Tab-separated table of all heavy atoms in Angstrom:
chain	number	residue	atom	x	y	z
T	1	MET	N	0.822	-1.197	0.000
T	1	MET	CA	0.000	0.000	0.000
T	1	MET	C	0.864	1.257	0.000
T	1	MET	O	0.425	2.272	-0.477
T	1	MET	CB	-0.920	0.000	1.216
T	1	MET	CG	-2.342	-0.227	0.852
T	1	MET	SD	-3.600	0.147	2.101
T	1	MET	CE	-3.206	-0.839	3.482
T	2	GLY	N	2.016	1.236	0.593
T	2	GLY	CA	2.853	2.419	0.602
T	2	GLY	C	2.600	3.360	1.761
T	2	GLY	O	3.049	4.494	1.738
T	3	GLY	N	1.909	2.955	2.766
T	3	GLY	CA	1.602	3.809	3.908
T	3	GLY	C	0.136	4.151	3.946
T	3	GLY	O	-0.534	4.171	2.919
T	4	PRO	N	-0.390	4.420	5.121
T	4	PRO	CA	-1.836	4.624	5.246
T	4	PRO	C	-2.369	5.885	4.568
T	4	PRO	O	-3.558	5.971	4.283
T	4	PRO	CB	-2.066	4.677	6.751
T	4	PRO	CG	-0.756	5.047	7.332
T	4	PRO	CD	0.283	4.473	6.402
T	5	ARG	N	-1.507	6.866	4.277
T	5	ARG	CA	-1.951	8.090	3.596
T	5	ARG	C	-1.343	8.231	2.196
T	5	ARG	O	-1.345	9.301	1.624
T	5	ARG	CB	-1.580	9.313	4.428
T	5	ARG	CG	-2.415	9.484	5.673
T	5	ARG	CD	-2.117	10.808	6.344
T	5	ARG	NE	-2.978	11.034	7.465
T	5	ARG	CZ	-2.669	10.725	8.733
T	5	ARG	NH1	-1.492	10.211	9.016
T	5	ARG	NH2	-3.525	10.944	9.701
T	6	SER	N	-0.857	7.149	1.654
T	6	SER	CA	-0.223	7.190	0.339
T	6	SER	C	-1.197	7.662	-0.734
T	6	SER	O	-2.359	7.255	-0.754
T	6	SER	CB	0.288	5.803	-0.033
T	6	SER	OG	0.796	5.809	-1.347
T	7	THR	N	-0.713	8.499	-1.618
T	7	THR	CA	-1.530	8.948	-2.752
T	7	THR	C	-0.871	8.520	-4.069
T	7	THR	O	-1.129	9.090	-5.112
T	7	THR	CB	-1.732	10.474	-2.728
T	7	THR	OG1	-0.447	11.108	-2.689
T	7	THR	CG2	-2.560	10.899	-1.524
T	8	ALA	N	-0.018	7.499	-3.993
T	8	ALA	CA	0.675	7.001	-5.181
T	8	ALA	C	-0.289	6.434	-6.219
T	8	ALA	O	-0.026	6.502	-7.410
T	8	ALA	CB	1.703	5.944	-4.783
T	9	GLU	N	-1.402	5.849	-5.778
T	9	GLU	CA	-2.422	5.298	-6.676
T	9	GLU	C	-3.776	5.911	-6.332
T	9	GLU	O	-4.631	5.260	-5.732
T	9	GLU	CB	-2.504	3.780	-6.535
T	9	GLU	CG	-1.297	3.026	-7.017
T	9	GLU	CD	-1.521	1.534	-6.937
T	9	GLU	OE1	-2.227	1.007	-7.819
T	9	GLU	OE2	-1.016	0.922	-5.988
T	10	PRO	N	-4.017	7.175	-6.696
T	10	PRO	CA	-5.253	7.852	-6.276
T	10	PRO	C	-6.546	7.196	-6.760
T	10	PRO	O	-7.591	7.366	-6.132
T	10	PRO	CB	-5.112	9.266	-6.838
T	10	PRO	CG	-4.061	9.182	-7.876
T	10	PRO	CD	-3.175	8.020	-7.526
T	11	SER	N	-6.497	6.436	-7.831
T	11	SER	CA	-7.717	5.767	-8.300
T	11	SER	C	-8.077	4.571	-7.411
T	11	SER	O	-9.232	4.160	-7.361
T	11	SER	CB	-7.556	5.302	-9.747
T	11	SER	OG	-6.539	4.321	-9.840
T	12	ARG	N	-7.088	4.018	-6.693
T	12	ARG	CA	-7.329	2.853	-5.847
T	12	ARG	C	-7.218	3.157	-4.353
T	12	ARG	O	-7.716	2.413	-3.521
T	12	ARG	CB	-6.342	1.745	-6.190
T	12	ARG	CG	-6.530	1.199	-7.590
T	12	ARG	CD	-5.508	0.142	-7.896
T	12	ARG	NE	-5.699	-1.075	-7.135
T	12	ARG	CZ	-6.403	-2.126	-7.521
T	12	ARG	NH1	-7.017	-2.097	-8.678
T	12	ARG	NH2	-6.503	-3.188	-6.772
T	13	HIS	N	-6.564	4.252	-4.001
T	13	HIS	CA	-6.267	4.534	-2.600
T	13	HIS	C	-6.472	6.021	-2.338
T	13	HIS	O	-5.720	6.850	-2.850
T	13	HIS	CB	-4.812	4.133	-2.319
T	13	HIS	CG	-4.446	4.185	-0.876
T	13	HIS	ND1	-3.163	4.351	-0.473
T	13	HIS	CD2	-5.177	4.099	0.258
T	13	HIS	CE1	-3.104	4.354	0.848
T	13	HIS	NE2	-4.331	4.209	1.307
T	14	HIS	N	-7.494	6.364	-1.550
T	14	HIS	CA	-7.786	7.772	-1.314
T	14	HIS	C	-8.621	7.956	-0.041
T	14	HIS	O	-9.235	7.027	0.451
T	14	HIS	CB	-8.525	8.383	-2.506
T	14	HIS	CG	-9.807	7.673	-2.818
T	14	HIS	ND1	-9.860	6.580	-3.643
T	14	HIS	CD2	-11.069	7.880	-2.393
T	14	HIS	CE1	-11.108	6.156	-3.727
T	14	HIS	NE2	-11.864	6.920	-2.974
T	15	ARG	N	-8.599	9.169	0.438
T	15	ARG	CA	-9.434	9.511	1.582
T	15	ARG	C	-10.879	9.629	1.114
T	15	ARG	O	-11.156	10.160	0.028
T	15	ARG	CB	-8.985	10.834	2.199
T	15	ARG	CG	-9.748	11.134	3.471
T	15	ARG	CD	-9.160	12.274	4.231
T	15	ARG	NE	-9.969	12.525	5.437
T	15	ARG	CZ	-9.875	13.601	6.162
T	15	ARG	NH1	-8.980	14.519	5.865
T	15	ARG	NH2	-10.640	13.763	7.219
T	16	LEU	N	-11.790	9.134	1.932
T	16	LEU	CA	-13.202	9.245	1.591
T	16	LEU	C	-13.640	10.702	1.717
T	16	LEU	O	-12.977	11.506	2.377
T	16	LEU	CB	-14.036	8.325	2.478
T	16	LEU	CG	-13.786	6.832	2.210
T	16	LEU	CD1	-14.474	5.981	3.264
T	16	LEU	CD2	-14.270	6.438	0.833
T	17	LYS	N	-14.752	11.029	1.091
T	17	LYS	CA	-15.219	12.417	1.040
T	17	LYS	C	-16.523	12.609	1.810
T	17	LYS	O	-17.204	11.655	2.149
T	17	LYS	CB	-15.433	12.822	-0.419
T	17	LYS	CG	-14.163	12.770	-1.230
T	17	LYS	CD	-14.429	13.106	-2.667
T	17	LYS	CE	-13.138	12.987	-3.457
T	17	LYS	NZ	-13.359	13.162	-4.874
T	18	GLY	N	-16.848	13.879	2.043
T	18	GLY	CA	-18.116	14.238	2.682
T	18	GLY	C	-18.251	13.682	4.080
T	18	GLY	O	-17.296	13.685	4.861
T	19	ASP	N	-19.450	13.165	4.384
T	19	ASP	CA	-19.730	12.615	5.715
T	19	ASP	C	-18.873	11.400	6.046
T	19	ASP	O	-18.734	11.028	7.207
T	19	ASP	CB	-21.202	12.207	5.830
T	19	ASP	CG	-22.143	13.396	5.785
T	19	ASP	OD1	-21.680	14.525	6.007
T	19	ASP	OD2	-23.340	13.183	5.530
T	20	LEU	N	-18.310	10.752	5.036
T	20	LEU	CA	-17.504	9.552	5.244
T	20	LEU	C	-16.020	9.865	5.468
T	20	LEU	O	-15.238	8.969	5.770
T	20	LEU	CB	-17.645	8.611	4.042
T	20	LEU	CG	-19.064	8.142	3.730
T	20	LEU	CD1	-19.077	7.347	2.434
T	20	LEU	CD2	-19.615	7.319	4.871
T	21	ALA	N	-15.619	11.124	5.312
T	21	ALA	CA	-14.207	11.501	5.403
T	21	ALA	C	-13.617	11.350	6.794
T	21	ALA	O	-12.410	11.171	6.944
T	21	ALA	CB	-14.010	12.940	4.923
T	22	SER	N	-14.459	11.418	7.812
T	22	SER	CA	-13.984	11.303	9.195
T	22	SER	C	-14.914	10.412	9.998
T	22	SER	O	-16.117	10.382	9.763
T	22	SER	CB	-13.924	12.682	9.858
T	22	SER	OG	-13.046	13.517	9.164
T	23	VAL	N	-14.333	9.704	10.957
T	23	VAL	CA	-15.079	8.813	11.837
T	23	VAL	C	-14.543	9.008	13.250
T	23	VAL	O	-13.343	9.195	13.436
T	23	VAL	CB	-14.906	7.339	11.413
T	23	VAL	CG1	-15.539	6.398	12.406
T	23	VAL	CG2	-15.472	7.101	10.037
T	24	GLN	N	-15.433	8.946	14.224
T	24	GLN	CA	-15.007	9.065	15.612
T	24	GLN	C	-14.745	7.671	16.182
T	24	GLN	O	-15.599	6.795	16.105
T	24	GLN	CB	-16.062	9.790	16.443
T	24	GLN	CG	-15.536	10.192	17.798
T	24	GLN	CD	-16.522	11.048	18.544
T	24	GLN	OE1	-17.283	10.529	19.346
T	24	GLN	NE2	-16.511	12.342	18.275
T	25	VAL	N	-13.540	7.485	16.713
T	25	VAL	CA	-13.148	6.217	17.323
T	25	VAL	C	-12.643	6.516	18.731
T	25	VAL	O	-11.678	7.272	18.902
T	25	VAL	CB	-12.039	5.522	16.509
T	25	VAL	CG1	-11.596	4.238	17.184
T	25	VAL	CG2	-12.493	5.247	15.090
T	26	LYS	N	-13.303	5.942	19.723
T	26	LYS	CA	-12.920	6.138	21.124
T	26	LYS	C	-12.780	7.626	21.468
T	26	LYS	O	-11.833	8.042	22.121
T	26	LYS	CB	-11.636	5.384	21.443
T	26	LYS	CG	-11.795	3.882	21.320
T	26	LYS	CD	-10.580	3.149	21.825
T	26	LYS	CE	-10.841	1.657	21.770
T	26	LYS	NZ	-9.821	0.890	22.451
T	27	GLY	N	-13.717	8.432	20.956
T	27	GLY	CA	-13.750	9.855	21.262
T	27	GLY	C	-12.821	10.719	20.442
T	27	GLY	O	-12.762	11.929	20.631
T	28	VAL	N	-12.089	10.130	19.503
T	28	VAL	CA	-11.138	10.874	18.671
T	28	VAL	C	-11.638	10.859	17.230
T	28	VAL	O	-11.969	9.802	16.688
T	28	VAL	CB	-9.730	10.237	18.744
T	28	VAL	CG1	-8.762	10.956	17.830
T	28	VAL	CG2	-9.225	10.222	20.173
T	29	VAL	N	-11.690	12.023	16.584
T	29	VAL	CA	-12.089	12.106	15.186
T	29	VAL	C	-10.877	11.759	14.326
T	29	VAL	O	-9.811	12.361	14.468
T	29	VAL	CB	-12.633	13.509	14.839
T	29	VAL	CG1	-12.960	13.593	13.359
T	29	VAL	CG2	-13.868	13.818	15.678
T	30	CYS	N	-11.047	10.773	13.444
T	30	CYS	CA	-9.950	10.264	12.618
T	30	CYS	C	-10.320	10.333	11.139
T	30	CYS	O	-11.484	10.224	10.778
T	30	CYS	CB	-9.663	8.807	12.974
T	30	CYS	SG	-9.283	8.494	14.694
T	31	GLU	N	-9.305	10.471	10.287
T	31	GLU	CA	-9.504	10.434	8.842
T	31	GLU	C	-9.890	9.021	8.427
T	31	GLU	O	-9.330	8.055	8.928
T	31	GLU	CB	-8.204	10.771	8.106
T	31	GLU	CG	-7.682	12.146	8.328
T	31	GLU	CD	-6.332	12.352	7.633
T	31	GLU	OE1	-5.838	11.463	6.907
T	31	GLU	OE2	-5.766	13.432	7.847
T	32	GLN	N	-10.847	8.904	7.488
T	32	GLN	CA	-11.223	7.593	6.962
T	32	GLN	C	-10.770	7.495	5.504
T	32	GLN	O	-11.040	8.384	4.706
T	32	GLN	CB	-12.734	7.354	7.072
T	32	GLN	CG	-13.134	5.973	6.616
T	32	GLN	CD	-14.510	5.556	7.072
T	32	GLN	OE1	-14.655	4.524	7.677
T	32	GLN	NE2	-15.535	6.359	6.799
T	33	TRP	N	-10.099	6.407	5.195
T	33	TRP	CA	-9.548	6.173	3.870
T	33	TRP	C	-10.111	4.896	3.276
T	33	TRP	O	-10.652	4.051	3.986
T	33	TRP	CB	-8.033	6.046	3.966
T	33	TRP	CG	-7.334	7.352	4.180
T	33	TRP	CD1	-7.399	8.145	5.299
T	33	TRP	CD2	-6.490	8.018	3.270
T	33	TRP	NE1	-6.623	9.258	5.128
T	33	TRP	CE2	-6.046	9.205	3.885
T	33	TRP	CE3	-6.036	7.738	1.988
T	33	TRP	CZ2	-5.196	10.100	3.254
T	33	TRP	CZ3	-5.186	8.632	1.365
T	33	TRP	CH2	-4.774	9.803	1.996
T	34	GLN	N	-9.949	4.755	1.958
T	34	GLN	CA	-10.382	3.560	1.252
T	34	GLN	C	-9.246	3.049	0.383
T	34	GLN	O	-8.543	3.816	-0.255
T	34	GLN	CB	-11.567	3.881	0.341
T	34	GLN	CG	-11.940	2.732	-0.590
T	34	GLN	CD	-13.146	3.064	-1.436
T	34	GLN	OE1	-14.258	2.893	-0.990
T	34	GLN	NE2	-12.927	3.553	-2.646
T	35	TYR	N	-9.096	1.722	0.370
T	35	TYR	CA	-8.166	1.075	-0.551
T	35	TYR	C	-8.958	0.069	-1.371
T	35	TYR	O	-9.648	-0.794	-0.817
T	35	TYR	CB	-7.036	0.365	0.199
T	35	TYR	CG	-6.020	-0.232	-0.747
T	35	TYR	CD1	-5.132	0.597	-1.438
T	35	TYR	CD2	-5.975	-1.595	-0.992
T	35	TYR	CE1	-4.222	0.071	-2.328
T	35	TYR	CE2	-5.060	-2.127	-1.886
T	35	TYR	CZ	-4.191	-1.294	-2.556
T	35	TYR	OH	-3.283	-1.807	-3.452
T	36	GLU	N	-8.890	0.215	-2.691
T	36	GLU	CA	-9.586	-0.694	-3.594
T	36	GLU	C	-8.656	-1.876	-3.866
T	36	GLU	O	-7.658	-1.743	-4.575
T	36	GLU	CB	-9.939	0.012	-4.900
T	36	GLU	CG	-10.699	-0.864	-5.861
T	36	GLU	CD	-11.016	-0.145	-7.166
T	36	GLU	OE1	-11.044	1.100	-7.179
T	36	GLU	OE2	-11.222	-0.849	-8.164
T	37	VAL	N	-8.982	-3.012	-3.272
T	37	VAL	CA	-8.139	-4.197	-3.378
T	37	VAL	C	-8.290	-4.854	-4.746
T	37	VAL	O	-7.310	-5.244	-5.374
T	37	VAL	CB	-8.492	-5.217	-2.270
T	37	VAL	CG1	-7.619	-6.444	-2.352
T	37	VAL	CG2	-8.366	-4.561	-0.905
T	38	THR	N	-9.542	-4.979	-5.210
T	38	THR	CA	-9.851	-5.558	-6.515
T	38	THR	C	-10.813	-4.612	-7.214
T	38	THR	O	-11.109	-3.544	-6.686
T	38	THR	CB	-10.516	-6.940	-6.359
T	38	THR	OG1	-11.780	-6.762	-5.711
T	38	THR	CG2	-9.658	-7.894	-5.560
T	39	GLY	N	-11.341	-5.019	-8.357
T	39	GLY	CA	-12.311	-4.199	-9.063
T	39	GLY	C	-13.522	-3.844	-8.216
T	39	GLY	O	-14.130	-2.807	-8.394
T	40	GLY	N	-13.870	-4.682	-7.263
T	40	GLY	CA	-15.013	-4.411	-6.398
T	40	GLY	C	-14.654	-4.362	-4.926
T	40	GLY	O	-15.281	-3.654	-4.161
T	41	GLY	N	-13.655	-5.135	-4.514
T	41	GLY	CA	-13.315	-5.237	-3.100
T	41	GLY	C	-12.695	-3.975	-2.537
T	41	GLY	O	-11.820	-3.371	-3.144
T	42	ARG	N	-13.188	-3.563	-1.368
T	42	ARG	CA	-12.700	-2.346	-0.728
T	42	ARG	C	-12.369	-2.599	0.735
T	42	ARG	O	-13.019	-3.411	1.396
T	42	ARG	CB	-13.750	-1.224	-0.739
T	42	ARG	CG	-14.392	-0.865	-2.063
T	42	ARG	CD	-13.395	-0.248	-3.017
T	42	ARG	NE	-13.981	0.541	-4.077
T	42	ARG	CZ	-14.464	0.079	-5.215
T	42	ARG	NH1	-14.524	-1.214	-5.414
T	42	ARG	NH2	-14.907	0.886	-6.152
T	43	ILE	N	-11.378	-1.890	1.225
T	43	ILE	CA	-11.074	-1.847	2.649
T	43	ILE	C	-11.173	-0.394	3.068
T	43	ILE	O	-10.546	0.472	2.454
T	43	ILE	CB	-9.664	-2.377	2.957
T	43	ILE	CG1	-9.554	-3.861	2.585
T	43	ILE	CG2	-9.317	-2.174	4.441
T	43	ILE	CD1	-8.152	-4.413	2.682
T	44	TRP	N	-11.978	-0.119	4.076
T	44	TRP	CA	-12.064	1.219	4.667
T	44	TRP	C	-11.347	1.170	6.001
T	44	TRP	O	-11.480	0.205	6.757
T	44	TRP	CB	-13.504	1.607	4.914
T	44	TRP	CG	-14.287	1.973	3.691
T	44	TRP	CD1	-13.935	1.788	2.388
T	44	TRP	CD2	-15.575	2.578	3.673
T	44	TRP	NE1	-14.924	2.231	1.563
T	44	TRP	CE2	-15.945	2.728	2.325
T	44	TRP	CE3	-16.444	2.989	4.651
T	44	TRP	CZ2	-17.154	3.288	1.944
T	44	TRP	CZ3	-17.652	3.548	4.273
T	44	TRP	CH2	-17.996	3.710	2.930
T	45	TYR	N	-10.602	2.207	6.295
T	45	TYR	CA	-9.895	2.253	7.573
T	45	TYR	C	-9.749	3.682	8.037
T	45	TYR	O	-9.848	4.623	7.249
T	45	TYR	CB	-8.514	1.577	7.464
T	45	TYR	CG	-7.592	2.228	6.459
T	45	TYR	CD1	-6.725	3.245	6.846
T	45	TYR	CD2	-7.579	1.823	5.136
T	45	TYR	CE1	-5.883	3.858	5.927
T	45	TYR	CE2	-6.741	2.420	4.219
T	45	TYR	CZ	-5.886	3.430	4.614
T	45	TYR	OH	-5.063	4.018	3.704
T	46	VAL	N	-9.549	3.838	9.336
T	46	VAL	CA	-9.298	5.159	9.906
T	46	VAL	C	-7.902	5.162	10.516
T	46	VAL	O	-7.391	4.135	10.959
T	46	VAL	CB	-10.351	5.582	10.958
T	46	VAL	CG1	-11.712	5.737	10.314
T	46	VAL	CG2	-10.430	4.621	12.107
T	47	ILE	N	-7.297	6.334	10.500
T	47	ILE	CA	-5.946	6.510	11.021
T	47	ILE	C	-6.035	7.277	12.329
T	47	ILE	O	-6.434	8.437	12.344
T	47	ILE	CB	-5.067	7.269	10.012
T	47	ILE	CG1	-5.054	6.531	8.675
T	47	ILE	CG2	-3.657	7.447	10.574
T	47	ILE	CD1	-4.493	7.348	7.527
T	48	ASP	N	-5.692	6.617	13.413
T	48	ASP	CA	-5.694	7.233	14.739
T	48	ASP	C	-4.250	7.613	15.066
T	48	ASP	O	-3.471	6.804	15.557
T	48	ASP	CB	-6.258	6.245	15.759
T	48	ASP	CG	-6.404	6.826	17.151
T	48	ASP	OD1	-5.803	7.890	17.424
T	48	ASP	OD2	-7.107	6.208	17.975
T	49	ASP	N	-3.895	8.856	14.743
T	49	ASP	CA	-2.527	9.326	14.966
T	49	ASP	C	-2.158	9.353	16.445
T	49	ASP	O	-1.016	9.060	16.803
T	49	ASP	CB	-2.332	10.728	14.366
T	49	ASP	CG	-2.349	10.700	12.846
T	49	ASP	OD1	-1.660	9.855	12.258
T	49	ASP	OD2	-3.068	11.531	12.252
T	50	ALA	N	-3.127	9.678	17.301
T	50	ALA	CA	-2.849	9.798	18.735
T	50	ALA	C	-2.357	8.479	19.327
T	50	ALA	O	-1.462	8.463	20.169
T	50	ALA	CB	-4.090	10.286	19.475
T	51	SER	N	-2.934	7.372	18.880
T	51	SER	CA	-2.518	6.073	19.423
T	51	SER	C	-1.695	5.266	18.423
T	51	SER	O	-1.448	4.080	18.641
T	51	SER	CB	-3.739	5.263	19.864
T	51	SER	OG	-4.496	4.880	18.734
T	52	THR	N	-1.302	5.910	17.320
T	52	THR	CA	-0.571	5.246	16.223
T	52	THR	C	-1.199	3.898	15.863
T	52	THR	O	-0.544	2.869	15.807
T	52	THR	CB	0.931	5.076	16.537
T	52	THR	OG1	1.080	4.280	17.713
T	52	THR	CG2	1.620	6.410	16.698
T	53	THR	N	-2.531	3.959	15.621
T	53	THR	CA	-3.296	2.753	15.309
T	53	THR	C	-4.090	2.961	14.032
T	53	THR	O	-4.597	4.051	13.773
T	53	THR	CB	-4.269	2.438	16.464
T	53	THR	OG1	-3.519	2.300	17.662
T	53	THR	CG2	-5.054	1.172	16.212
T	54	LEU	N	-4.201	1.931	13.236
T	54	LEU	CA	-5.044	1.934	12.049
T	54	LEU	C	-6.208	0.991	12.344
T	54	LEU	O	-5.995	-0.174	12.672
T	54	LEU	CB	-4.227	1.423	10.847
T	54	LEU	CG	-4.938	1.522	9.520
T	54	LEU	CD1	-4.003	2.120	8.490
T	54	LEU	CD2	-5.430	0.163	9.090
T	55	TRP	N	-7.428	1.513	12.282
T	55	TRP	CA	-8.631	0.731	12.569
T	55	TRP	C	-9.342	0.405	11.256
T	55	TRP	O	-9.674	1.309	10.497
T	55	TRP	CB	-9.594	1.517	13.450
T	55	TRP	CG	-9.045	1.921	14.772
T	55	TRP	CD1	-8.475	3.114	15.098
T	55	TRP	CD2	-9.008	1.145	15.961
T	55	TRP	NE1	-8.088	3.122	16.411
T	55	TRP	CE2	-8.407	1.917	16.974
T	55	TRP	CE3	-9.432	-0.151	16.276
T	55	TRP	CZ2	-8.213	1.454	18.260
T	55	TRP	CZ3	-9.240	-0.611	17.562
T	55	TRP	CH2	-8.645	0.184	18.544
T	56	ILE	N	-9.601	-0.858	10.989
T	56	ILE	CA	-10.380	-1.239	9.810
T	56	ILE	C	-11.855	-1.080	10.162
T	56	ILE	O	-12.333	-1.649	11.138
T	56	ILE	CB	-10.068	-2.671	9.366
T	56	ILE	CG1	-8.611	-2.739	8.889
T	56	ILE	CG2	-11.032	-3.129	8.273
T	56	ILE	CD1	-8.128	-4.105	8.514
T	57	THR	N	-12.561	-0.260	9.366
T	57	THR	CA	-13.969	0.009	9.639
T	57	THR	C	-14.894	-0.804	8.749
T	57	THR	O	-16.045	-1.031	9.101
T	57	THR	CB	-14.294	1.502	9.487
T	57	THR	OG1	-13.885	1.939	8.186
T	57	THR	CG2	-13.580	2.320	10.548
T	58	GLN	N	-14.387	-1.235	7.587
T	58	GLN	CA	-15.208	-2.032	6.687
T	58	GLN	C	-14.295	-2.732	5.687
T	58	GLN	O	-13.342	-2.145	5.195
T	58	GLN	CB	-16.194	-1.143	5.948
T	58	GLN	CG	-17.130	-1.909	5.047
T	58	GLN	CD	-18.355	-1.097	4.689
T	58	GLN	OE1	-18.861	-0.338	5.499
T	58	GLN	NE2	-18.839	-1.262	3.491
T	59	ALA	N	-14.622	-3.975	5.364
T	59	ALA	CA	-13.905	-4.720	4.330
T	59	ALA	C	-14.902	-5.655	3.667
T	59	ALA	O	-15.717	-6.276	4.342
T	59	ALA	CB	-12.758	-5.518	4.937
T	60	GLY	N	-14.853	-5.705	2.353
T	60	GLY	CA	-15.798	-6.572	1.669
T	60	GLY	C	-15.483	-6.725	0.197
T	60	GLY	O	-14.673	-5.971	-0.364
T	61	PRO	N	-16.139	-7.695	-0.444
T	61	PRO	CA	-15.879	-7.984	-1.847
T	61	PRO	C	-16.555	-7.019	-2.824
T	61	PRO	O	-16.273	-7.035	-4.002
T	61	PRO	CB	-16.426	-9.398	-2.018
T	61	PRO	CG	-17.544	-9.470	-1.022
T	61	PRO	CD	-17.075	-8.639	0.148
T	62	GLY	N	-17.439	-6.175	-2.333
T	62	GLY	CA	-18.149	-5.250	-3.211
T	62	GLY	C	-18.038	-3.821	-2.733
T	62	GLY	O	-17.572	-3.546	-1.634
T	63	ARG	N	-18.468	-2.910	-3.586
T	63	ARG	CA	-18.441	-1.486	-3.238
T	63	ARG	C	-19.479	-1.213	-2.160
T	63	ARG	O	-20.649	-1.593	-2.315
T	63	ARG	CB	-18.746	-0.670	-4.488
T	63	ARG	CG	-18.375	0.768	-4.350
T	63	ARG	CD	-18.534	1.500	-5.688
T	63	ARG	NE	-19.679	2.358	-5.575
T	63	ARG	CZ	-20.750	2.297	-6.338
T	63	ARG	NH1	-20.831	1.430	-7.308
T	63	ARG	NH2	-21.751	3.108	-6.148
T	64	PRO	N	-19.110	-0.536	-1.061
T	64	PRO	CA	-20.083	-0.230	-0.006
T	64	PRO	C	-21.204	0.679	-0.504
T	64	PRO	O	-20.958	1.645	-1.227
T	64	PRO	CB	-19.239	0.489	1.050
T	64	PRO	CG	-17.846	0.097	0.760
T	64	PRO	CD	-17.775	-0.101	-0.729
T	65	ARG	N	-22.442	0.371	-0.158
T	65	ARG	CA	-23.587	1.179	-0.581
T	65	ARG	C	-23.536	2.589	-0.029
T	65	ARG	O	-24.143	3.489	-0.586
T	65	ARG	CB	-24.888	0.504	-0.174
T	65	ARG	CG	-25.140	-0.749	-0.942
T	65	ARG	CD	-26.462	-1.366	-0.561
T	65	ARG	NE	-26.612	-2.621	-1.268
T	65	ARG	CZ	-27.677	-2.929	-1.965
T	65	ARG	NH1	-28.688	-2.085	-2.039
T	65	ARG	NH2	-27.751	-4.074	-2.594
T	66	LYS	N	-22.814	2.784	1.073
T	66	LYS	CA	-22.712	4.118	1.663
T	66	LYS	C	-22.132	5.133	0.695
T	66	LYS	O	-22.330	6.314	0.833
T	66	LYS	CB	-21.838	4.087	2.927
T	66	LYS	CG	-22.439	3.341	4.071
T	66	LYS	CD	-21.472	3.347	5.237
T	66	LYS	CE	-21.967	2.518	6.378
T	66	LYS	NZ	-21.007	2.508	7.493
T	67	THR	N	-21.383	4.654	-0.309
T	67	THR	CA	-20.761	5.572	-1.267
T	67	THR	C	-21.674	5.894	-2.448
T	67	THR	O	-21.341	6.735	-3.269
T	67	THR	CB	-19.431	5.011	-1.799
T	67	THR	OG1	-19.683	3.752	-2.454
T	67	THR	CG2	-18.422	4.837	-0.682
T	68	ASP	N	-22.812	5.202	-2.553
T	68	ASP	CA	-23.759	5.486	-3.641
T	68	ASP	C	-24.333	6.889	-3.466
T	68	ASP	O	-24.729	7.276	-2.381
T	68	ASP	CB	-24.909	4.476	-3.661
T	68	ASP	CG	-24.466	3.095	-4.100
T	68	ASP	OD1	-23.372	2.982	-4.672
T	68	ASP	OD2	-25.223	2.141	-3.859
T	69	ARG	N	-24.407	7.611	-4.568
T	69	ARG	CA	-25.012	8.962	-4.518
T	69	ARG	C	-26.487	8.850	-4.833
T	69	ARG	O	-26.903	8.109	-5.689
T	69	ARG	CB	-24.324	9.868	-5.535
T	69	ARG	CG	-22.895	10.085	-5.144
T	69	ARG	CD	-22.255	11.059	-6.071
T	69	ARG	NE	-20.853	11.123	-5.699
T	69	ARG	CZ	-20.214	12.245	-5.477
T	69	ARG	NH1	-20.820	13.393	-5.628
T	69	ARG	NH2	-18.953	12.244	-5.141
T	70	HIS	N	-27.260	9.621	-4.081
T	70	HIS	CA	-28.733	9.579	-4.277
T	70	HIS	C	-29.166	10.675	-5.213
T	70	HIS	O	-28.729	11.736	-5.230
T	70	HIS	CB	-29.445	9.738	-2.932
T	70	HIS	CG	-29.059	8.658	-1.957
T	70	HIS	ND1	-29.515	7.379	-2.092
T	70	HIS	CD2	-28.223	8.659	-0.886
T	70	HIS	CE1	-29.011	6.644	-1.104
T	70	HIS	NE2	-28.219	7.404	-0.363
């Protein structure tokens, strides 16, 4: 992947946008990112800089419906 904030492959690895861009974990607001593993498979994770921890928030074989625009 090249690091949790890598932008080397922006089409496959990027920070989520809008309401999905940040998530609160244990009282700390963290950036939420997505890595496209396959054509459909995605891993969403948040970066907790305070505790130097990466939390996986979602992983699956398909695109999460939360990203669908209405």
Side-chain angles (χ1 to χ4, degrees):
M1 251 195 302
R5 288 188 175 94
S6 175
T7 55
E9 293 185 77
S11 64
R12 295 178 69 92
H13 188 205
H14 58 273
R15 186 169 179 194
L16 292 171
K17 298 177 182 174
D19 293 342
L20 301 174
S22 300
V23 173
Q24 192 173 96
V25 177
K26 296 188 176 190
V28 177
V29 176
C30 304
E31 296 176 5
Q32 184 163 234
W33 285 67
Q34 171 178 276
Y35 184 73
E36 182 181 337
V37 181
T38 65
R42 308 293 201 277
I43 296 172
W44 286 12
Y45 61 91
V46 295
I47 303 166
D48 185 344
D49 290 312
S51 68
T52 60
T53 303
L54 187 133
W55 300 96
I56 294 176
T57 55
Q58 183 161 324
R63 196 173 108 240
R65 291 182 184 231
K66 292 178 185 179
T67 60
D68 290 344
R69 294 185 185 231
H70 301 287

